[in-house]
Amino acid sequence: MKFENLTTLRAPLPTRDRLILNVVGTLLLLALWWVLGEALSKTLVTQADIDVTELASDKQGYYRSDSMLIADLDDLERMSGEELASFGLTKRKVYPLLPTPGRVLASIPEMVREDNLVGNTFYSIKLNLLGYLLALTVALPLGFALGLIPLVRGLFAQIVDSYRFIPLTAVTGIFIMWLGLGAEMKVSFLAFGILVYLIPVVVQRIDEVESVYLDTVFTLGATSWQTIRTVYMPYVFSKVIDDVRVLTAISWTYITIVEMLNRSGGIGELIWTARRQSRIDKAFAILLIIIVIGVIQDRLFVLIDRLLFPHKQVQRAAALR
């Protein structure tokens, strides 16, 4: 690994060096996370039979478990463990603001046993996939119509483009009134959240088609449908898959919103449950699970991109030479 390659602007990194740097960066972030978690932790003196994992801090700096009020008192903290045990007390460390990585990972098996983590996760993934399929089914034909037909673009392009400014969290009430609180509403809401961004992207990709390709098929005498099938569709599909990869990250935000509405399963319900239990370690664990799912989805999109559009890999390799 050469130092000059690490500081030169936009210098390409070999695969081995990139992998090493990824591992080092991950370890540094975990170390920083652990240090901050320990720095923000608190040591409490509690009764020995109290479960400190469910203690919630209030504004006065005390911690409450059921009807028990436990004060963070300095004089008790200075007592030894044996002295505290003689009074039926014990000294424990709690993480009210930032749990350490170890505590976050330790909460995952508990959620698997008690909160049906696996079932809820797959339920959210199913909603995500159905929302994307519905969005793509609507966005692609509408985007092609807006991008290719001047009459349709003149009538509706500006209106559709302005939909991006709609605050999606504000329209959840409308979808509930239309479709209730079931899975149909959730999938429709996810699809709408993706549509408002995807349709303008499809139009933009159509506008990016270079005129040299259009001139070539026109010279060969291609019809309008042949031009769409041989020029527009391959180009737009090869670009839209990259745009969908970006939108997958946004879609998980919408999933957590709709799943918190009636708590009928999914990642959103787990986050609500963790908040109700004052289990910040569970909340962080759910966030890590979403990140892992997102990374897997991203890798799957890359694999699909390579299988369906191998010419893009040739172009990228040629650009790096």
Side-chain angles (χ1 to χ4, degrees):
M1 184 181 298
K2 297 181 180 180
F3 180 76
E4 56 269 20
N5 290 340
L6 303 179
T7 57
T8 303
L9 297 180
R10 299 192 64 183
L13 282 174
T15 303
R16 176 177 173 273
D17 293 350
R18 186 168 58 250
L19 179 61
I20 293 174
L21 290 175
N22 285 336
V23 172
V24 172
T26 301
L27 293 176
L28 288 175
L29 286 177
L30 289 175
L32 178 62
W33 179 2
W34 182 84
V35 170
L36 289 176
E38 292 294 337
L40 296 173
S41 66
K42 289 182 178 292
T43 301
L44 299 181
V45 176
T46 71
Q47 289 186 339
D49 58 348
I50 289 180
D51 184 7
V52 298
T53 59
E54 296 191 9
L55 294 178
S57 174
D58 63 18
K59 295 180 181 179
Q60 284 73 38
Y62 294 97
Y63 296 83
R64 188 180 301 277
S65 176
D66 296 332
S67 60
M68 178 65 66
L69 187 66
I70 304 145
D72 185 5
L73 301 177
D74 293 337
D75 54 345
L76 290 178
E77 289 184 359
R78 286 192 289 267
M79 296 173 64
S80 65
E82 295 180 357
E83 291 174 319
L84 291 172
S86 64
F87 293 99
L89 301 174
T90 186
K91 188 181 295 186
R92 300 179 183 179
K93 183 178 289 187
V94 296
Y95 300 83
L97 298 178
L98 182 64
T100 60
R103 295 182 67 87
V104 171
L105 294 177
S107 68
I108 294 178
E110 179 183 347
M111 287 193 292
V112 172
R113 295 190 307 269
E114 301 178 1
D115 300 314
N116 191 20
L117 176 62
V118 176
N120 283 308
T121 300
F122 277 102
Y123 178 73
S124 294
I125 293 174
K126 182 183 74 171
L127 290 182
N128 197 1
L129 292 177
L130 291 176
Y132 264 100
L133 289 176
L134 179 58
L136 287 171
T137 302
V138 176
L140 289 175
L142 282 181
F144 271 89
L146 288 169
L148 294 176
I149 303 175
L151 176 62
V152 178
R153 172 174 288 202
L155 289 173
F156 304 112
Q158 189 61 44
I159 298 174
V160 173
D161 190 61
S162 65
Y163 287 167
R164 292 180 297 171
F165 302 102
I166 296 177
L168 295 178
T169 54
V171 301
T172 53
I174 297 175
F175 276 87
I176 292 173
M177 288 187 287
W178 284 347
L179 302 172
L181 287 170
E184 182 182 0
M185 182 276 294
K186 297 176 182 180
V187 172
S188 300
F189 177 79
L190 290 172
F192 178 77
I194 298 168
L195 275 173
V196 296
Y197 294 104
L198 193 56
I199 293 177
V201 165
V202 174
V203 176
Q204 178 184 343
R205 295 306 186 186
I206 290 175
D207 293 339
E208 291 175 355
V209 175
E210 298 181 17
S211 58
V212 61
Y213 301 120
L214 301 176
D215 294 339
T216 301
V217 295
F218 178 77
T219 303
L220 295 174
T223 63
S224 297
W225 167 242
Q226 289 173 330
T227 303
I228 294 173
R229 183 173 57 85
T230 59
V231 178
Y232 285 109
M233 291 179 65
Y235 182 88
V236 172
F237 290 168
S238 67
K239 298 295 183 180
V240 165
I241 191 171
D242 295 326
D243 302 316
V244 172
R245 283 179 57 196
V246 176
L247 290 175
T248 53
I250 302 176
S251 66
W252 280 100
T253 303
Y254 306 149
I255 286 177
T256 56
I257 292 173
V258 295
E259 287 179 344
M260 284 184 181
L261 294 176
N262 65 340
R263 299 185 295 278
S264 61
I267 293 291
E269 180 182 4
L270 294 183
I271 294 176
W272 182 89
T273 302
R275 182 183 62 181
R276 183 174 56 85
Q277 296 174 346
S278 299
R279 291 293 301 273
I280 193 171
D281 54 340
K282 286 186 177 182
F284 272 83
I286 295 168
L287 293 180
L288 286 180
I289 291 170
I290 292 176
I291 291 173
V292 171
I293 295 173
V295 171
I296 294 174
Q297 283 183 327
D298 187 77
R299 293 298 92 192
L300 288 175
F301 274 112
V302 171
L303 178 60
I304 294 172
D305 188 21
R306 290 176 177 174
L307 292 176
L308 296 181
F309 310 106
H311 65 278
K312 292 170 62 176
Q313 312 306 318
V314 177
Q315 293 174 350
R316 289 170 183 168
L320 294 175
R321 292 189 187 130

